[in-house]
Amino acid sequence: MAALGSPLRTFRGLLRELRHASGRPYRDTPAYQHIVATFRAHRVTSQKLCRAQQELHFQAATYLCLLRSVREHTALHREYHGKGERSPEEVAGLVGFRLPQQPGGKG
């Protein structure tokens, strides 16, 4: 199993993804308030060792992966989704080719 990294890095990543996903200030969203409250409730103090923190960290890292994947999928879909039929010249330009020119200036 891959290492999760630090909980702070995961927390900051979640906040970054919320900022990307939210059209309004993300600190006003219920998702932000829930994430902050949950991370605060499961932090390790000197008085206790919280086993649930590893569970929370794993769930948070999984949710972060989901948010990133959805954002990247949306960006790829927006860029490469079909826009109807394209001309042969446009398709050749997309893949980096040029169509040959016919002699006599035609084509």
Side-chain angles (χ1 to χ4, degrees):
M1 183 172 135
L4 290 175
S6 74
L8 182 60
R9 177 179 244 165
T10 303
F11 179 70
R12 287 180 177 165
L14 282 170
L15 296 184
R16 189 176 309 114
E17 291 302 322
L18 281 177
R19 192 171 37 244
H20 286 296
S22 180
R24 58 187 177 153
Y26 70 99
R27 291 180 186 238
D28 298 336
T29 61
Y32 171 81
Q33 295 166 0
H34 175 72
I35 289 171
V36 170
T38 306
F39 266 86
R40 283 185 182 154
H42 289 85
R43 67 178 169 223
V44 175
T45 64
S46 60
Q47 299 172 354
K48 66 177 182 175
L49 176 63
C50 183
R51 181 176 294 168
Q53 184 190 23
Q54 278 77 25
E55 294 173 22
L56 170 73
H57 188 201
F58 180 75
Q59 289 177 351
T62 303
Y63 188 59
L64 175 59
C65 180
L66 172 75
L67 288 175
R68 279 186 185 150
S69 298
V70 167
R71 179 175 50 87
E72 291 171 0
H73 173 266
T74 304
L76 287 172
H77 184 72
R78 208 176 305 122
E79 184 174 348
Y80 292 109
H81 183 66
K83 298 174 181 133
E85 192 165 336
R86 296 180 174 165
S87 68
E89 293 83 14
E90 188 178 357
V91 173
L94 284 174
V95 295
F97 295 121
R98 289 186 329 200
L99 291 178
Q101 300 292 324
Q102 291 184 354
K106 296 183 180 178

Coordinates of all heavy atoms in Angstrom, one line a residue, residues 75-87 90 94:
A75 N -12.1 18.5 -17.4 CA -11.3 19.4 -18.3 C -10.9 18.6 -19.6 O -11.0 19.2 -20.6 CB -10.0 19.7 -17.5
L76 N -10.6 17.3 -19.4 CA -10.4 16.5 -20.7 C -11.6 16.4 -21.5 O -11.5 16.5 -22.7 CB -9.8 15.1 -20.3 CG -8.4 15.1 -19.7 CD1 -8.1 13.7 -19.2 CD2 -7.4 15.5 -20.8
H77 N -12.7 16.2 -20.9 CA -14.0 16.1 -21.6 C -14.3 17.4 -22.4 O -14.7 17.3 -23.5 CB -15.1 15.7 -20.7 CG -16.4 15.4 -21.3 ND1 -16.7 14.3 -22.1 CD2 -17.6 16.2 -21.4 CE1 -17.9 14.4 -22.6 NE2 -18.5 15.5 -22.1
R78 N -14.1 18.5 -21.7 CA -14.4 19.8 -22.3 C -13.5 20.0 -23.5 O -13.9 20.6 -24.5 CB -14.2 20.9 -21.3 CG -15.0 22.1 -21.5 CD -14.8 23.2 -20.4 NE -15.1 22.6 -19.1 CZ -14.2 22.7 -18.1 NH1 -13.0 23.2 -18.2 NH2 -14.5 22.2 -16.9
E79 N -12.2 19.6 -23.4 CA -11.2 19.8 -24.5 C -11.4 18.9 -25.6 O -11.3 19.3 -26.8 CB -9.8 19.6 -23.9 CG -8.8 20.0 -25.0 CD -7.4 19.9 -24.4 OE1 -7.2 19.9 -23.1 OE2 -6.4 19.9 -25.2
Y80 N -11.7 17.6 -25.4 CA -11.7 16.6 -26.5 C -13.1 16.1 -26.9 O -13.1 15.2 -27.8 CB -10.8 15.4 -26.1 CG -9.4 15.8 -26.0 CD1 -8.7 15.9 -24.8 CD2 -8.6 16.1 -27.2 CE1 -7.4 16.2 -24.7 CE2 -7.3 16.5 -27.1 CZ -6.7 16.5 -25.8 OH -5.4 16.9 -25.8
H81 N -14.1 16.5 -26.3 CA -15.5 16.0 -26.6 C -15.8 16.4 -28.0 O -15.5 17.5 -28.5 CB -16.5 16.6 -25.7 CG -17.9 16.1 -25.9 ND1 -18.2 14.8 -25.7 CD2 -19.0 16.7 -26.3 CE1 -19.5 14.6 -26.0 NE2 -20.0 15.7 -26.4
G82 N -16.4 15.5 -28.7 CA -16.8 15.8 -30.2 C -17.6 17.0 -30.3 O -18.6 17.2 -29.6
K83 N -17.3 17.8 -31.3 CA -18.1 19.0 -31.6 C -18.7 18.9 -33.0 O -18.8 19.8 -33.8 CB -17.1 20.2 -31.6 CG -16.5 20.4 -30.3 CD -15.5 21.5 -30.3 CE -14.9 21.7 -28.9 NZ -13.5 21.8 -28.9
G84 N -19.1 17.7 -33.3 CA -19.7 17.4 -34.7 C -18.6 17.0 -35.6 O -17.5 16.7 -35.2
E85 N -19.0 16.8 -36.8 CA -18.0 16.3 -37.8 C -17.1 17.5 -38.2 O -17.4 18.6 -38.4 CB -18.8 15.8 -39.1 CG -17.9 15.1 -40.0 CD -18.7 14.3 -41.0 OE1 -19.8 14.0 -40.7 OE2 -18.1 14.0 -42.1
R86 N -15.8 17.1 -38.3 CA -14.7 18.0 -38.7 C -14.2 17.8 -40.1 O -14.3 16.7 -40.6 CB -13.6 17.9 -37.7 CG -14.0 18.3 -36.3 CD -12.8 18.2 -35.3 NE -13.3 18.6 -34.0 CZ -12.6 18.4 -32.9 NH1 -11.5 17.7 -33.0 NH2 -13.0 18.9 -31.8
S87 N -13.7 18.8 -40.6 CA -13.1 18.7 -42.0 C -11.8 17.9 -41.9 O -11.2 17.9 -40.9 CB -12.9 20.1 -42.6 OG -11.8 20.7 -41.9
E90 N -8.9 20.0 -40.6 CA -9.0 20.3 -39.2 C -8.5 19.0 -38.4 O -7.7 19.1 -37.5 CB -10.4 20.7 -38.8 CG -10.5 21.1 -37.3 CD -11.9 21.6 -37.0 OE1 -12.8 21.5 -37.8 OE2 -12.0 21.9 -35.8
L94 N -5.2 18.6 -35.9 CA -5.3 18.2 -34.6 C -4.2 17.2 -34.2 O -3.6 17.2 -33.1 CB -6.6 17.5 -34.3 CG -7.8 18.4 -34.1 CD1 -9.1 17.6 -34.0 CD2 -7.7 19.3 -32.9

